[in-house]
Amino acid sequence: MAAAAAIFHFRNPTNPSPFRGTLKTSQQRPHEIRSRRHTRMELTSFDSPTTHTGIDGINLSPASVSVSVSAHPVESAATRAMAFPSTAASKKHVRLFYCQEMKELAERIALESDAIELGSISWRTFGDGFPNLFINNAHGIRGQHVAFLASFSSPGVIFEQLSVIYMLPKLFISSFKIVLPFFSTGSSERMEEEGDVATAFTLARILSNTPISRGGPTSLVIFDIHALQERFYFGDNVLPCFESGMHLLTNRLQRLPDSDNISIAFPDDGAWKRFHKLLQHFPMIICTKVREGDQRIVRLKEGDPTGRHVVIVDDFVQSGSTLIECQKVLAAHGAAKISAYATHGIFPNKSWQRFQHDNGVGPSDGLSYFWITDSCPLTAKEVSGRAPFEVLSLASAIAATLQI
């Protein structure tokens, strides 16, 4: 055991005379050092013209201290690095895999953070059409945080992605996260008569059987799910995390030249319940759907669209029939301009072609803007650059969730 002495000087602001003390440090030899707890320091003498009391008889609080220690280093550079990790070293690094449809979105996500690295999967098929899949560099992801960006755009692509999703947690990874921006069966969440199949519950059960990784249950990120009660469809093997794309809309509205004349319209009470708290700083208009025989008619329930730029907001759009009926009602009640937003633009059978740009045709027949996100990548690619459509990317929002 080697000993070293340290001379330290205290200077009291009220008393310019310095006072001195001697500090003895007992250390183990370098090869015996394992942690900071092996270093012991004790005060052996204290000389001062003024008595200072406090902890152990010394009050150091009013003094500024400078210490010079002549002793051998008590810890290696490696020990210091472990004790005081840098910000860069402590940043969570994620390996992001993705399905073929999500390639462009995955690349945008990777550009958002240098801590996100893209993984690679070979998406091949056998002669009979069944998947022939290979996760490249599988040994290289051991001990890493891993995520998979999925798109369940059709039943035909779900099986191959589930095969990958079930495999990744078994590769000795630290944690696993599934990002499924659009929960495609979300609108099929209830039975209206005996025999109806609630496919939302079925898909939730399938995802709930994702194997547990070393870090515990899988996290499942979904944006603007159709019905909030669907969080209770998932089992304990997954932790559903529900995000929203509404911040993309609010940021875009703030950049409009008439941002001070915006009102938000909801096509029904369900949309209002889901989103009004996220958009409460805008004047609101609520429409409602009523049945007359076999038809559903949209009517204005509350709010005044007169002279306003009204933005119709919903979680997803398919055929667009309800949105078009809502548009006509708002125009009939005096809306100056009408736009629309849906987080998920599904548009089966190219139904997006039903929407015209208001280039002089008027708000009853044309929209100033129709914003969607890239949660449904095939649709986003089809409508990109076609007025009135504008695609808002979820890349930054997804990158943020991967760092949690």
Side-chain angles (χ1 to χ4, degrees), residues 285 305-310 327 329-338 363-364:
I285 299 165
T306 304
R308 306 286 291 179
H309 180 179
V310 182
Q327 175 187 358
V329 168
L330 293 168
H333 283 79
K337 296 167 64 176
I338 298 176
S364 61

Side-chain angles (χ1 to χ4, degrees), residues 8-27:
F8 57 88
H9 305 269
F10 297 88
R11 193 173 298 275
N12 190 324
T14 61
N15 183 2
S17 301
F19 47 93
R20 300 165 57 85
T22 303
L23 199 64
K24 278 189 177 179
T25 306
S26 61
Q27 304 173 9

Side-chain angles (χ1 to χ4, degrees), residues 33-299:
I33 295 171
R34 294 180 176 86
S35 73
R36 299 171 186 272
R37 288 173 294 179
H38 291 281
T39 301
R40 181 171 58 86
M41 305 178 77
E42 66 174 322
L43 186 69
T44 59
S45 67
F46 189 86
D47 303 318
S48 169
T50 307
T51 302
H52 297 266
T53 58
I55 299 175
D56 293 332
I58 303 172
N59 182 5
L60 304 179
S61 58
S64 59
V65 183
S66 62
V67 180
S68 59
V69 180
S70 58
H72 294 292
V74 297
E75 50 188 13
S76 66
T79 305
R80 290 195 300 272
M82 288 187 291
F84 300 100
S86 65
T87 303
S90 62
K91 185 183 294 185
K92 180 178 179 181
H93 284 71
V94 179
R95 184 74 65 90
L96 176 63
F97 293 90
Y98 53 89
C99 68
Q100 297 176 88
E101 290 180 15
M102 287 294 194
K103 183 176 186 296
E104 292 184 8
L105 178 55
E107 290 172 347
R108 284 194 288 270
I109 293 169
L111 290 175
E112 293 288 331
S113 172
D114 57 3
I116 299 174
E117 180 183 352
L118 295 183
S120 173
I121 297 174
S122 297
W123 301 90
R124 304 167 300 193
T125 56
F126 291 107
D128 58 3
F130 275 84
N132 177 16
L133 310 171
F134 186 79
I135 300 170
N136 298 303
N137 192 26
H139 286 283
I141 65 173
R142 289 185 176 184
Q144 293 190 9
H145 300 287
V146 173
F148 181 77
L149 180 61
S151 174
F152 290 177
S153 59
S154 68
V157 300
I158 293 178
F159 177 66
E160 63 181 13
Q161 292 180 62
L162 285 174
S163 300
V164 172
I165 287 171
Y166 278 34
M167 186 62 195
L168 284 170
K170 297 180 179 180
L171 296 178
F172 214 63
I173 60 178
S174 290
S175 68
F176 186 48
K177 184 170 291 186
I178 304 170
V179 181
L180 181 63
F182 175 48
F183 189 65
S184 51
T185 58
S187 59
S188 301
E189 84 281 6
R190 59 181 179 270
M191 296 175 58
E192 294 185 352
E193 60 178 315
E194 191 68 27
D196 282 343
V197 178
T199 53
F201 182 64
T202 303
L203 185 56
R205 286 198 295 176
I206 292 172
L207 289 170
S208 296
N209 282 292
T210 302
I212 295 176
S213 67
R214 290 174 58 202
T218 296
S219 299
L220 173 62
V221 180
I222 298 173
F223 283 81
D224 289 324
I225 198 166
H226 182 65
L228 289 177
Q229 67 267 22
E230 291 175 7
R231 72 168 62 236
F232 303 109
Y233 294 177
F234 297 93
D236 293 340
N237 276 12
V238 294
L239 303 174
C241 175
F242 296 130
E243 300 286 347
S244 179
M246 286 300 140
H247 69 285
L248 299 176
L249 173 63
T250 56
N251 291 341
R252 183 66 182 91
L253 294 180
Q254 290 171 2
R255 300 198 304 270
L256 293 179
D258 58 350
S259 59
D260 58 345
N261 193 42
I262 300 290
S263 291
I264 301 296
F266 301 103
D268 52 38
D269 288 325
W272 177 83
K273 289 177 182 177
R274 285 192 295 275
F275 301 125
H276 77 279
K277 290 184 178 179
L278 301 175
L279 301 165
Q280 57 189 348
H281 49 289
F282 292 100
M284 294 188 182
I285 299 165
I286 304 174
C287 297
T288 186
K289 289 182 283 191
V290 296
R291 282 192 178 274
E292 289 188 3
D294 294 335
Q295 291 184 327
R296 277 190 175 184
I297 299 175
V298 177
R299 291 178 177 170

Side-chain angles (χ1 to χ4, degrees), residues 355-357 383 385-389:
F355 297 94
Q356 298 184 58
H357 182 220
V383 305
R386 298 174 183 264
F389 291 97

